[in-house]
Structures are given as structure tokens and as C-alpha cells.
Amino acid sequence: MRALYCAGRGAADMHEASIALSLIDVASEVLREHGAARASALTVRVGQWSSVVPEALTAAFPACAAGTGLEGARLSVVTVPGVGECPVHGRVTLDVTRGLRCPECGAPTPTLLAGDELELDELELVEPDLEDV
Amino acid sequence: MTVANPRIVTVRQNILKANDHTAAENRATFTAAGVRAINLASSPGAGKTALLERTLRDLAGQMSMAVAVGDLATENDAARLRQHGAQAEQIVTGTICHLDAAMVQAVLPRFDLAGLEVLFLENVGNLVCPSSYDLGEAARAVLISTTEGEDKPLKYPTMFNTADVVVITKMDLADAVGFDRDLCRENIDRARPGVPVIELSSRSGAGLDAWFAFVRGEPT
């Protein structure tokens, strides 16, 4: 297991540091698959119900990326709102502070149709041959 | 250095896929051995270890149980649990604020899984991080104590949203601390509509039968 040295910002960021390390693992795998040495930017989709705080992830990322192909890459986080299915109002965008309830009528919407994502969406590769130009 | 036309690739991959993969392996191991793995999560001090102590003591001789317990630094919890005759293995997580599937997988060889019916996975006391990490458990129990405030389910919706059962602990203290039972249950139901709720006291023993039924895998 890798030590979380990049978690030096304090306990509040430890979770996002773990997530950042997993993100870098996934992204590094994509780099290998495409024969790219490094990436210049990446986009991550974080659901509002994923318990990951985008600001903390953004703060933890640069230190975690040091020494990897993601070093210096620009991280963009897209927040995905929760979407539930109300028996009356159909697909509704949820308000986290109100729980899994339809914001229109308060009916329970137990199933999340969206909003629990934690995924690497896009990666901007730097082609090795271009680097030498 | 000039970088021309960087290539953008669409990935759309779950960041925690490695953990999910290991969790699936753990789940297969548990299923093959006939072990019911129960992931216990709560804030620090909600009474996970106390509930497990009581469970190990009361069900001793009826069920074969063991515990893998995660903690940042100490072995105290495992030592407490061993006093009740069950095997308890500590997972010291260091700086990491949750158990993940790989940590659980690493400790499994220390158990005789074939001889076990229930393996408790006592998570690190934390209502945020453990919610993201599947350990391969059959069921996830989230504890909330009467002393910590009825709004926890709204503050930590993801943890409660992934619970298979919510256990309200320290019911013996409910009156003393002015615990609002209805409000707490309403908030739990907001975070996880329809989730079964068990109210109990590990000290007095009230409500333990419902918990034991859950431990056995009976309908809650």
C-alpha cells in the first residue's frame, strides 16, 4: 500500500488524497494504453452524492501527481447533481440538503439515477513525438 | 517546447474501479466460504466496538464470528474484542481514514473462513470516506448514537444512503440527552427512504434481538 504522503494538508483532505491517488492510477493506465508519456489536462465527474468534495480533490491532486505522468496536469472537476425518479414528477434534480426526496412534492426517490459518479471523464494526452518538437 | 494539438481521449472510467474489482474478489471469497461479511460504519464513539463486544458475548456458542477492525493507529479495539473469545484482527490504516477492499483482502488469510459464519468488518470511525469503498460485504450497517445529534443523516447523506440497515445506539441515554427519536428517524428516511432502522442499547440489551436477526441475515 502506498503511503499517503500527499495527505499533508490535514485530516480533512485525506479522503480526497486517496481518491486523487486512485484517479492517478486510472489515468496512468490510460496513458500507457495510448502510449503517451503524460497528460496536460483531465476532467473528472464528481456526483453530489459521492461524498467527495471537489475543492479538496483539486487541492490534493497536484501533490499526489508529482513524479507521475499527470504532474502539472490541469484538473477540471464537473459536479453532477443528483437525479431521482419521483412517482409523480418523473426525473427530478435533487437537493442534497433535502435528502432523497422530490423537490416538488417530497415523495421518496430512493434510487439515484445520477449523482453518485466518481469517474475520469476525459484525458488530454501529450503525444511523445510532439514533446520533442 | 511546443505542444501542438493535444489529443483528447474520452475515458469514462470509475476512479475506484480497482477497489471495486478487489471488493468483488472478496465477495466471491466470502460467498464460497459461506461467510456473511458485515461492514460497520459510524462516526468515532458511536458504539461500534461496544455493540460488537455485546454481540460476540451474547451469541457465543450460537454462531461462529470474528472481527477485522480498522483503526488509524492503535490495536485497542482488537484487544477489547478478543476478551470475548472471538478472533479479532486489527488493520492499522496509518494515515488512511477508511478501510478499502485491498486492506480487507490482505487480512483474510489470518482467518479460517470455512469455519466462520459471520465476519464483522469494523470500519474506521468516519462518516465520510468509508461510504465510497465497497469492501465486498454482504451488508452495510451504519450506526448513529443518540448522543451525536439527529441531523447526522443529512450531514453525511452518502454514508446513510449506502446503508442496508441503520442502527441507533445508546438508546439508554436517549432521555438524558433529549434525543428526538422521530426527527432522527425522519432524517434517516430522507437520506435512505425505506431503510430498516434498529434502536438498541448495547449496555441495557434493549433492542438487541432485531440486531441479532440482522446479523444472522434474517429479514429486518
Side-chain angles (χ1 to χ4, degrees):
Chain A
M1 190 196 322
R2 266 193 289 173
L4 294 182
Y5 294 121
C6 56
R9 301 175 66 90
D13 285 345
M14 281 198 286
H15 178 45
E16 280 74 15
S18 298
I19 301 290
L21 287 176
S22 300
L23 165 62
I24 289 158
D25 285 344
V26 172
S28 300
E29 198 181 306
V30 176
L31 289 182
R32 277 195 300 277
E33 283 166 7
H34 287 82
R38 56 188 200 89
S40 50
L42 65 171
T43 307
V44 168
R45 286 160 50 86
V46 173
Q48 272 190 331
W49 288 76
S50 69
S51 80
V52 170
V53 180
E55 291 77 11
L57 181 60
T58 310
F61 179 77
C64 295
T68 75
L70 282 300
E71 183 167 348
R74 190 176 67 252
L75 172 65
S76 309
V77 179
V78 176
T79 303
V80 183
V83 176
E85 189 154 36
C86 172
V88 179
H89 296 94
R91 284 175 70 100
V92 285
T93 301
L94 302 172
D95 174 352
V96 173
T97 60
R98 299 189 58 182
L100 290 179
R101 299 274 172 168
C102 173
E104 305 284 332
C105 65
T109 57
T111 311
L112 274 176
L113 301 177
D116 59 354
E117 302 75 358
L118 191 53
E119 60 184 31
L120 172 59
D121 192 20
E122 283 183 350
L123 203 55
E124 192 178 283
L125 307 181
V126 179
E127 307 292 352
D129 51 338
L130 296 177
E131 252 185 309
D132 301 328
V133 173
Chain B
M1 184 182 75
T2 311
V3 177
N5 302 321
R7 183 156 59 112
I8 294 175
V9 293
T10 301
V11 184
R12 283 284 162 98
Q13 279 184 13
N14 178 3
I15 291 170
L16 295 179
K17 65 174 185 167
N19 184 76
D20 291 349
H21 177 76
T22 308
E25 289 177 353
N26 291 350
R27 191 164 279 119
T29 302
F30 294 139
T31 303
V35 176
R36 176 169 166 79
I38 299 175
N39 182 356
L40 268 82
S42 78
S43 44
K48 292 183 298 301
T49 310
L51 178 59
L52 287 182
E53 286 185 288
R54 181 77 197 227
T55 304
L56 296 178
R57 199 168 76 219
D58 286 19
L59 297 184
Q62 297 177 40
M63 290 189 82
S64 168
M65 297 167 288
V67 186
V69 51
D71 207 336
L72 293 172
T74 72
E75 292 249 352
N76 295 351
D77 285 355
R80 266 174 74 184
L81 291 160
R82 282 183 200 122
Q83 293 175 350
H84 303 280
Q87 185 183 359
E89 297 291 342
Q90 189 83 43
I91 302 172
V92 178
T93 62
T95 61
I96 301 176
C97 47
H98 55 265
L99 289 179
D100 68 27
M103 296 179 206
V104 171
Q105 191 166 62
V107 83
L108 289 184
R110 295 195 225 158
F111 294 97
D112 172 24
L113 292 177
L116 275 184
E117 287 163 90
V118 172
L119 177 63
F120 295 104
L121 307 171
E122 182 183 343
N123 223 309
V124 179
N126 182 340
L127 282 174
V128 184
C129 319
S131 64
S132 302
Y133 292 86
D134 182 9
L135 306 179
E137 70 265 24
R140 183 177 287 195
V142 177
L143 279 58
I144 175 173
S145 63
T146 56
T147 57
E148 61 187 291
E150 298 86 354
D151 58 350
K152 281 278 167 73
L154 300 183
K155 287 183 177 170
Y156 304 95
T158 312
M159 190 75 252
F160 285 88
N161 179 243
T162 57
D164 295 302
V165 67
V166 175
V167 180
I168 306 177
T169 60
K170 307 188 190 181
M171 283 303 290
D172 54 311
L173 299 178
D175 289 343
V177 297
F179 174 69
D180 187 334
R181 175 179 179 273
D182 290 342
L183 178 60
C184 186
R185 294 187 72 118
E186 186 187 318
N187 289 341
I188 292 168
D189 200 61
R190 276 178 184 272
R192 179 72 152 166
V195 70
V197 177
I198 297 171
E199 298 173 8
L200 57 76
S201 164
S202 300
R203 184 185 286 172
S204 76
L208 284 175
D209 285 348
W211 165 250
F212 293 158
F214 168 77
V215 170
R216 292 189 191 97
E218 295 161 7
T220 317

